[in-house]
Amino acid sequence: MYTKEYVEQMDGTHFPGKTFQDCVLAPIFDTQKNYYAGPFIEISKAHAVMLYEQKIITLQEARDILAGLRQIEAIDMNDRTYDPSYEDMFFMIEHELESLVGRDTAGRLHIARSRNDIDICEFRMVLRQKVLEVMEALNIFRQVLLSLAGENINTVMPAYTHTQPAQPSTLAHYILAFQDSLERDFTRFVQVVKTINHSPLGAAAITTTGFPINRQRTGELLGFDGLVENSYDSIAGCDYLTECAAVLAIMNTSLSRFMKDTLDFCTKEFNVFYLSDPYVQTSSIMPQKRNPSSLEQTRPAISKAIAEAKSIFDILHNTPFGDIVDTEEQLQPHLYDSIKYTIRALKMLSSVFATLKVNKDILLQRAHEGFITATELADVLVRDKGLSFRHSHKITSTIVKHMVKNGQKAQDITPQIISDISREILGRSIDLEPAEIEKALDPVNFINVRSVTGGPAPEETERMLTNRGEALERDQSLLKQCIEKLKDAERLLNEAMENIICCEPLA
């Protein structure tokens, strides 16, 4: 029986109970050591530097603390397991520091800070790094797509609406459309980094401190762009998480739609994309099979990325606006997993699309089928014969129905058919020469005349391709600046530490 007596015998009567250890504290400790040990040490270094510069601790105390932190930094936390003697990793490391520099000196490091602002700072530091990794993988995939588009400016294909062949376009036009959505995703991630990269340090538990700390200095030493100024917001606000989750969900939803098209194009029936051998598997019984397993495995990765991102909202939506464990170690890994699956998908797609072959002949053939140039025939009746579009649309629609009923193709449309049907609808004959009809029904001509901004005409596609290439270069430069800023902050922190360890005390 699961009675009170049984539980007390199993768990004990003092904190922490064994069930609490096994189900909560030990898993949290594993998350902490996997993700937050390094950031915690960096935060502690920056805090010690600031405390000394603000004359809150002495030079010797700062030197001892920094030296101790360097020793702890060399410890391989992967070898550590949860020890119920310490509530979490924070107290375990604090104990390590006490054993190195003494309890009194170690205790001075905790002046004007709390696990609350430390935790949020750790979360932001880890998340910003992971978002930068997504952005890097995203830009590689964009580069692959732009290269593929450049190779297929003149690859004529049917464009689809409502899953049906609609009008002729080009593969470049289609690929650029998807690339443009990814470019917007990159811009959204830039804003995510801006939101994340604000320091909560100095908020302490929630109302700051009575000590004369310099919040800007610790933020600077850790590479933050500024502060989460309101200390209550520093601890309670979690929109940096939901904003990141939203952008991950948006981008992966676009990726999933692109995956749907891609897997269709890989089928024998479509016969558009031919995947390179490293990315296909054969059947255990059917030797002729070329299964696009790389993409099939990528599709659930994208779905899992979306699911993990959505879980952020599910967990947070009804929690209090304050310090609450729901936003802490048990929540953060959901975002990390979403990012992990996203990066896997982007890397796989980059390799597949960099090496796939395009069946240009079959695409061109299909662009001649299904009367998908009918819009241009209607436009010719408007431009050259002065009809309203409603009249030209009705005439062209009737022509298509007539041809389908008689089992004929677009190439079989004759001047006589156009004359007879226009007379039936308008009461007068519209005459087109065979050469005019042939040109109107030619998918290449259809594309060439659509040179309006954003259209599939080669010269317009080339302009867009050049523009997108320049945008990608700017985005890559911006990403590099973000990465370098964090490296500069690391150097700045190391220099500040060296100045304390080696130099004269502050006047």
Side-chain angles (χ1 to χ4, degrees):
M1 293 284 292
Y2 213 83
T3 63
K4 174 184 177 183
E5 291 76 15
Y6 172 77
V7 171
E8 287 183 346
Q9 182 180 7
M10 176 179 63
D11 277 4
T13 56
H14 300 286
F15 178 86
K18 188 174 186 306
T19 303
F20 190 25
Q21 293 177 42
D22 295 344
C23 297
V24 178
L25 298 178
I28 285 176
F29 178 82
D30 289 339
T31 298
Q32 289 173 332
K33 75 176 185 180
N34 289 335
Y35 295 110
Y36 305 125
F40 176 74
I41 298 298
E42 294 301 300
I43 291 166
S44 297
K45 290 175 183 176
H47 189 68
V49 168
M50 182 275 296
L51 289 178
Y52 169 66
E53 291 177 348
Q54 294 298 110
K55 301 182 180 180
I56 297 171
I57 62 176
T58 68
L59 176 62
Q60 192 57 52
E61 289 168 341
R63 285 174 172 170
D64 290 345
I65 289 169
L66 291 172
L69 290 172
R70 281 184 167 177
Q71 286 184 258
I72 295 171
E73 192 173 26
I75 296 174
D76 185 358
M77 290 299 294
N78 291 322
D79 295 336
R80 298 297 180 97
T81 58
Y82 177 72
D83 182 345
S85 303
Y86 314 106
E87 182 179 331
D88 58 14
M89 185 188 69
F90 171 88
F91 286 111
M92 179 180 285
I93 292 178
E94 187 175 76
H95 176 75
E96 293 283 353
L97 187 61
E98 288 175 0
S99 67
L100 292 170
V101 302
R103 188 169 188 178
D104 184 63
T105 299
R108 295 187 179 279
L109 177 61
H110 203 55
I111 294 172
R113 71 175 189 168
S114 164
R115 275 191 302 175
N116 291 6
D117 61 343
I118 294 170
D119 285 349
I120 302 299
C121 190
E122 291 170 352
F123 301 156
R124 286 174 178 265
M125 288 174 69
V126 172
L127 188 57
R128 73 183 177 189
Q129 183 61 46
K130 290 186 176 296
V131 171
L132 291 175
E133 290 169 8
V134 174
M135 294 165 72
E136 188 171 18
L138 174 56
N139 278 352
I140 290 172
F141 185 38
R142 287 171 61 196
Q143 182 270 316
V144 169
L145 291 177
L146 290 177
S147 178
L148 183 63
E151 296 167 5
N152 289 278
I153 290 174
N154 296 298
T155 301
V156 178
M157 64 174 283
Y160 294 81
T161 62
H162 304 281
T163 71
Q164 302 300 309
Q167 293 180 332
S169 185
T170 66
L171 183 58
H173 192 235
Y174 168 75
I175 293 293
L176 279 176
F178 180 59
Q179 191 284 148
D180 284 0
S181 75
L182 296 181
E183 184 177 321
R184 292 190 293 274
D185 290 324
F186 183 89
T187 300
R188 283 185 274 263
F189 276 123
V190 170
Q191 182 56 50
V192 167
V193 172
K194 288 180 180 178
T195 300
I196 294 170
N197 206 34
H198 284 74
S199 173
L201 291 179
I206 203 162
T207 60
T208 71
T209 176
F211 289 92
I213 62 171
N214 185 339
R215 296 185 65 196
Q216 288 79 2
R217 179 58 169 162
T218 50
E220 175 190 36
L221 292 171
L222 294 170
F224 287 102
D225 295 325
L227 300 177
V228 183
E229 187 176 55
N230 183 294
S231 64
Y232 206 120
D233 184 25
S234 295
I235 303 306
C238 63
D239 53 303
Y240 74 98
L241 296 171
T242 51
E243 183 178 349
C244 182
V247 174
L248 285 165
I250 289 169
M251 185 179 76
N252 278 288
T253 299
S254 296
L255 284 174
S256 70
R257 298 179 70 201
F258 187 63
M259 284 292 298
K260 173 65 172 67
D261 286 2
T262 299
L263 282 165
D264 284 346
F265 287 168
C266 289
T267 61
K268 267 299 189 193
E269 289 73 18
F270 268 87
N271 194 22
V272 172
F273 290 159
Y274 185 88
L275 269 59
S276 297
D277 288 347
Y279 312 113
V280 296
Q281 290 177 297
T282 190
S283 164
S284 64
I285 189 173
M286 296 169 285
Q288 85 284 1
K289 294 292 295 297
R290 296 188 85 254
N291 299 326
S293 302
S294 58
L295 296 179
E296 289 180 304
Q297 296 288 357
T298 301
R299 180 167 53 185
I302 292 171
S303 297
K304 286 190 281 189
I306 294 171
E308 294 289 358
K310 286 170 63 179
S311 70
I312 300 298
F313 295 91
D314 294 337
I315 294 168
L316 289 177
H317 78 279
N318 62 352
T319 58
F321 189 75
D323 173 42
I324 192 77
V325 296
D326 305 58
T327 65
E328 296 174 359
E329 287 90 349
Q330 294 194 68
L331 172 73
Q332 303 290 328
H334 287 289
L335 264 184
Y336 305 161
D337 285 344
S338 180
I339 289 170
K340 174 182 68 179
Y341 294 129
T342 300
I343 291 175
R344 285 183 188 175
L346 289 169
K347 286 183 175 181
M348 192 71 263
L349 290 170
S350 294
S351 292
V352 167
F353 275 85
T355 57
L356 65 75
K357 298 176 183 177
V358 177
N359 192 338
K360 299 182 180 184
D361 293 337
I362 197 74
L363 285 174
L364 179 60
Q365 174 188 322
R366 288 178 183 157
H368 284 89
E369 298 171 354
F371 300 92
I372 66 173
T373 53
T375 302
E376 181 58 20
L377 179 59
D379 286 350
V380 166
L381 295 177
V382 173
R383 285 196 303 262
D384 298 346
K385 302 302 177 180
L387 299 187
S388 72
F389 187 76
R390 283 293 146 230
H391 279 141
S392 71
H393 185 282
K394 186 172 184 180
I395 291 169
T396 305
S397 176
T398 305
I399 291 170
V400 171
K401 290 175 183 176
H402 170 82
M403 304 303 288
V404 172
K405 181 180 179 181
N406 290 280
Q408 295 176 298
K409 300 178 180 179
Q411 300 93 296
D412 300 322
I413 297 174
T414 64
Q416 189 61 50
I417 291 172
I418 295 174
S419 177
D420 291 345
I421 289 176
S422 60
R423 185 182 300 108
E424 176 185 326
I425 292 173
L426 299 176
R428 61 186 177 88
S429 172
I430 299 296
D431 298 319
L432 285 178
E433 296 296 324
E436 292 178 295
I437 299 172
E438 181 181 0
K439 183 177 181 182
L441 297 175
D442 178 12
V444 175
N445 174 70
F446 184 102
I447 289 167
N448 288 339
V449 300
R450 277 156 176 77
S451 58
V452 173
T453 301
E459 64 270 22
E460 179 57 17
T461 303
E462 288 175 351
R463 183 199 64 77
M464 286 192 286
L465 189 59
T466 299
N467 175 275
R468 276 34 170 200
E470 292 171 350
L472 178 57
E473 287 183 5
R474 290 193 297 271
D475 289 345
Q476 288 172 328
S477 177
L478 178 60
L479 177 58
K480 184 178 179 181
Q481 290 173 22
C482 292
I483 294 170
E484 287 301 319
K485 178 180 174 62
L486 297 183
K487 292 180 180 178
D488 289 343
E490 184 178 359
R491 286 190 287 268
L492 184 66
L493 177 55
N494 287 332
E495 289 171 4
M497 290 171 57
E498 290 301 321
N499 286 338
I500 290 173
I501 293 170
C502 304
C503 300
E504 294 298 318
L506 293 173

